[in-house]
Amino acid sequence: MNSLVVLPVLLPFLVGSILILLVKRHALQRWISGITMTALLVLSIILAVVVYQDGIQISELGNWEAPFGIIFVADMFATLMVVLSSIVGFTCLFFAFRTIAPVREKYYFYPFYFFLLTGVNGAFLTGDLFNLFVFFEVMLIASYILIVHGSTNYQLRESFKYVAINVFASLFFIVGVAYMYAATGTLNFAHLAERIDEMEQTGVLNVIAILFLLVFAMKGALFPLYFWLPRSYYGPPAAIAALFGGLLTKVGIYAIIRMFTLVFNHDPTFTHNIILALAGFTMFFGVLGAVSQFDFKRILSYHIISQVGYMVMGLGLYTQLAIAGAIYYIAHHIIVKAALFLFAGAAQKITGETHLKKMGGLLGSHPVLAWMFFITAISLAGIPPLSGFFSKFALILSGFEEGRYIIVTVALIVGLLTLFSMIKIFMYAFWGERKHTEEQSQMKIGSVLLPIVPLVALTIIMGFAAEPIFQYSEAIAAELLEPDVYINSVLKE
């Protein structure tokens, strides 16, 4: 068994289980959590390097060969996602050390934090459909706890929609798994790809494909199933909101890309045109929600919706350039969105507010916070030379090459409206007359900003080093569009 492939799942699960026993020893929990998160980040980078150099790595639990046993598969796409989850997990954890209230900390915050990462990493690395369902449920159960953590009235009220929509999504998921097994006789991804390639029942497969698209659209907040997200992500503390905003919807997007490049690639004229239409509606309606808001965190929450539209746009176009742009965009958005939510938390810590009309003058009192926010904000909007520009450029270029002018127009309009809403935050919260007290303006937040610095640095590096990073994205896209590489690695053919 290749233990390196399993460690990103096994390590957070074991540490989360241990931390349950240490729930009253807060200092010890912090030390263990910090060391574990650092180790997880290092392990994920090592795994990504090994896969890049030596090819796809497989771990067959109990030495049961695929397609019969439980299998973990680390290809370049999965390992990139594991690295990104570790980066965001690392920064959000150390931000939580500085900001989480003691009353929240003592109610199993750290164990469920690691259980969430267990589910996320498991979803990225699993090699079969049923275990994808299992890891989704692990992730969701932990997220149910974290999203109501602190038990404020607002959290309990608004998180009900989050729980309800995900319960329905899980129900449809298990129904889809049953239909898939009935149609193909297998649930292993590689074996599914082989069986579906041999089947001639396109109509049945299209029905199952749309069912899974519905499931992952619920979890990824695609149009019209995004209504649960903005208010649900508003309530939790900044560290949890950043973890959710950066990671959770991307697990759904990862599942869509994985399934519709490896398994459901039998009729792209039908399936991928639907995905492209969903991308356009998701971008447009998501950004309209952001533009209409006057609350720091709610604007960022609506932008999660609009930005996932760009990711599935790349899949809908279904070219190597477009998918490479989508992968680049996923990496950019995970980093930038987590940073923006953490900046919102830092601003709230100073002013006690997130409503923009009650904020102002942070540029004068906390210039480092203001300019770090500005960098990540214009990166989200796609301003060169930051990471958001190059990922969007690849998607726009691919759209022009394929003659998909409507989706390109929508993407460009959404980019302009994103810039408008980010400038609105900067003008209200950071510019203008100071609305917080003298005592608040003297508050020292260097230790709060320190965990966010790596995220800001990454969006700058990803912009200035766009060529090698895009080459890596293209290599991932080429691997995704050549499913035989995955199939032969898993089934050893």
Side-chain angles (χ1 to χ4, degrees):
M1 183 176 72
N2 190 342
S3 58
L4 185 60
V5 178
V6 183
L7 280 176
V9 180
L10 190 60
L11 180 61
F13 174 73
L14 291 176
V15 171
S17 302
I18 292 169
L19 290 176
I20 290 176
L21 305 176
L22 303 172
V23 67
K24 294 183 179 180
R25 304 185 64 178
H26 298 165
L28 183 57
Q29 282 196 97
R30 289 187 175 201
W31 275 102
I32 294 174
S33 298
I35 293 169
T36 302
M37 202 64 244
T38 305
L40 187 59
L41 177 58
V42 172
L43 282 170
S44 64
I45 293 171
I46 291 171
L47 178 59
V49 171
V50 170
V51 169
Y52 182 71
Q53 293 177 341
D54 300 333
I56 296 174
Q57 302 294 304
I58 310 295
S59 180
E60 297 169 331
L61 301 189
N63 291 324
W64 283 85
E65 292 188 357
F68 305 108
I70 296 173
I71 187 169
F72 288 86
V73 184
D75 64 351
M76 285 195 290
F77 187 30
T79 52
L80 171 66
M81 298 303 290
V82 170
V83 169
L84 291 169
S85 77
S86 299
I87 291 170
V88 172
F90 179 89
T91 54
C92 291
L93 180 68
F94 280 86
F95 186 88
F97 288 162
R98 300 294 182 183
T99 58
I100 199 77
V103 69
R104 296 178 187 265
E105 192 176 32
K106 70 180 182 179
Y107 288 112
Y108 301 95
F109 171 75
Y110 297 112
F112 282 102
Y113 191 95
F114 283 101
F115 290 148
L116 181 78
L117 292 175
T118 300
V120 169
N121 289 345
F124 293 149
L125 292 170
T126 186
D128 71 87
L129 190 56
F130 182 76
N131 282 309
L132 179 63
F133 168 77
V134 170
F135 284 117
F136 260 106
E137 292 309 297
V138 171
M139 175 188 75
L140 289 171
I141 290 169
S143 73
Y144 297 155
I145 304 299
L146 292 176
I147 204 167
V148 299
H149 205 259
S151 300
T152 65
N153 290 337
Y154 182 92
Q155 282 179 276
L156 294 172
R157 183 178 70 250
E158 295 302 328
S159 61
F160 177 78
K161 289 181 288 186
Y162 173 80
V163 174
I165 191 70
N166 279 290
V167 168
F168 276 108
S170 298
L171 175 63
F172 284 119
F173 198 158
I174 200 67
V175 169
V177 169
Y179 276 131
M180 182 68 86
Y181 189 77
T184 64
T186 186
L187 293 175
N188 180 276
F189 286 144
H191 205 209
L192 277 171
E194 265 197 345
R195 290 283 178 89
I196 286 176
D197 190 50
E198 297 167 356
M199 290 178 65
E200 298 179 356
Q201 297 172 313
T202 304
V204 173
L205 292 175
N206 283 343
V207 171
I208 298 173
I210 296 305
L211 178 58
F212 277 105
L213 180 59
L214 175 69
V215 169
F216 298 134
M218 289 184 193
K219 296 179 184 292
L222 294 180
F223 174 87
L225 302 167
Y226 59 76
F227 62 88
W228 55 269
L229 188 148
R231 296 179 70 87
S232 298
Y233 282 19
Y234 177 81
I240 297 174
L243 187 68
F244 282 23
L247 275 185
L248 291 198
T249 52
K250 312 315 176 297
V251 182
I253 302 305
Y254 168 87
I256 292 174
I257 294 175
R258 175 68 72 194
M259 292 292 286
F260 284 86
T261 55
L262 178 62
V263 178
F264 296 122
N265 54 15
H266 59 286
D267 190 10
T269 305
F270 174 74
T271 54
H272 290 65
N273 280 334
I274 292 175
I275 291 171
L276 194 62
L278 288 177
F281 285 118
T282 302
M283 284 190 282
F284 185 70
F285 285 103
V287 83
L288 286 184
V291 169
S292 68
Q293 296 296 314
F294 271 89
D295 186 276
F296 201 148
K297 290 173 72 174
R298 283 187 182 150
I299 291 173
L300 297 180
S301 296
Y302 273 102
H303 274 310
I304 296 172
I305 298 163
S306 68
Q307 304 300 309
V308 296
Y310 284 99
M311 303 168 201
V312 293
M313 172 185 169
L315 177 62
L317 292 170
Y318 206 52
T319 66
Q320 183 171 321
L321 177 62
I323 292 177
I327 291 164
Y328 199 143
Y329 200 90
I330 290 171
H332 145 78
H333 188 263
I334 286 174
I335 289 165
V336 169
K337 182 56 67 175
L340 288 170
F341 268 104
L342 295 179
F343 285 132
Q348 186 178 15
K349 184 177 179 65
I350 296 166
T351 64
E353 290 287 346
T354 59
H355 197 283
L356 295 181
K357 292 185 178 180
K358 297 179 181 179
M359 302 173 74
L362 284 170
L363 178 61
S365 62
H366 296 84
V368 175
L369 167 63
W371 291 118
M372 286 174 66
F373 168 82
F374 183 77
I375 291 169
T376 50
I378 63 173
S379 180
L380 183 74
I383 302 300
L386 299 171
S387 60
F389 170 77
F390 293 102
S391 53
K392 285 183 180 177
F393 179 75
L395 292 168
I396 299 299
L397 180 60
S398 180
F400 276 124
E401 288 179 350
E402 295 299 305
R404 302 300 186 104
Y405 301 117
I406 294 176
I407 193 70
V408 168
T409 302
V410 171
L412 291 172
I413 292 171
V414 169
L416 288 174
L417 292 176
T418 302
L419 178 61
F420 169 77
S421 59
M422 289 294 102
I423 293 299
K424 180 169 72 174
I425 292 176
F426 190 78
M427 295 299 293
Y428 274 92
F430 297 95
W431 201 262
E433 180 184 353
R434 192 184 77 192
K435 296 184 179 178
H436 48 280
T437 66
E438 182 65 29
E439 182 181 355
Q440 288 173 323
S441 68
Q442 298 299 320
M443 184 182 295
K444 303 296 182 184
I445 59 164
S447 62
V448 174
L449 295 180
L450 188 60
I452 321 176
V453 171
L455 299 177
V456 180
L458 279 171
T459 191
I460 297 171
I461 292 168
M462 287 177 65
F464 282 94
E467 184 177 359
I469 293 172
F470 194 77
Q471 288 174 348
Y472 182 60
S473 298
E474 281 193 306
I476 296 173
E479 189 175 81
L480 288 172
L481 290 173
E482 191 62 44
D484 286 344
V485 175
Y486 185 101
I487 294 167
N488 293 338
S489 298
V490 173
L491 300 180
K492 300 172 184 176
E493 295 181 349

